[in-house]
Each structure stands twice: as structure tokens, then as C-alpha cells.
Amino acid sequence: MSPSIDLAPGVVDVWTAPLDVADDELQEMLHRLSSGEQKRVAGLLEERAARQTIVSRAMQRQLLASYVGGSPADIQFGMVAMGKPTL
């Protein structure tokens, strides 16, 4: 599958998205998260923080999937030395 968003050399894309979404859309986004992400969200005490985490992670997955030409569910995050994130 080819990427649907082209990466231009030397260009940085900056994306923004509203974090306040309707409850039905929030539930759809929650299902896009990995089981680990869902567990972390469930552990958040503040509802607003949980909602924003769901939206931001789901959007991050969607955008990254668009760049690499895959499915949001296929995106896997990891950590390397000193806590640096990997894709």
C-alpha cells in the first residue's frame, strides 16, 4: 500500500486537531488505540485528560498511517535507550 500523504524533502508538516469531539466519535477513536493505550487511558483520573489522550493518540495513529500507507491499527510505538520513542 502506498502512502496517501507525500513526504517532501526538507519539509516539516504540522497538524492540529480539535480535542473536543462528540461521544460517539470518541468511542470510535478509543477502538483505534492499542490495548496498552486503552489501559493507560482507563487509569487517568480526570475525564478531560482521558478524552484528550484518546483523541490525540487516535489522530496520531491516523496521520502516521496515512504517511506510511498502512492502517492505524498497524502502527506500533516503542521506546529505545533513554526513553526515545520509535515507530
Side-chain angles (χ1 to χ4, degrees):
M1 189 181 275
S2 63
S4 57
I5 299 176
D6 293 326
L7 291 172
V11 173
V12 175
D13 291 337
V14 177
W15 293 86
T16 63
L19 296 178
D20 188 25
V21 300
D23 289 342
D24 58 333
E25 189 175 359
L26 185 74
Q27 287 305 309
E28 289 177 28
M29 290 180 159
L30 179 61
H31 294 299
R32 293 184 206 161
L33 305 186
S34 70
S35 60
E37 289 169 324
Q38 290 179 12
K39 286 179 186 177
R40 281 191 294 279
V41 166
L44 294 173
L45 299 177
E46 187 182 336
E47 181 184 353
R48 182 172 183 245
R51 292 178 70 92
Q52 290 178 347
T53 300
I54 292 167
V55 174
S56 63
R57 290 299 278 196
M59 291 300 297
Q60 183 181 46
R61 287 178 163 281
Q62 184 66 50
L63 286 167
L64 288 170
S66 295
Y67 280 103
V68 300
S71 166
D74 294 337
I75 301 295
Q76 294 184 10
F77 299 99
M79 292 284 191
V80 295
M82 300 181 68
K84 294 184 179 183
T86 63
L87 176 65

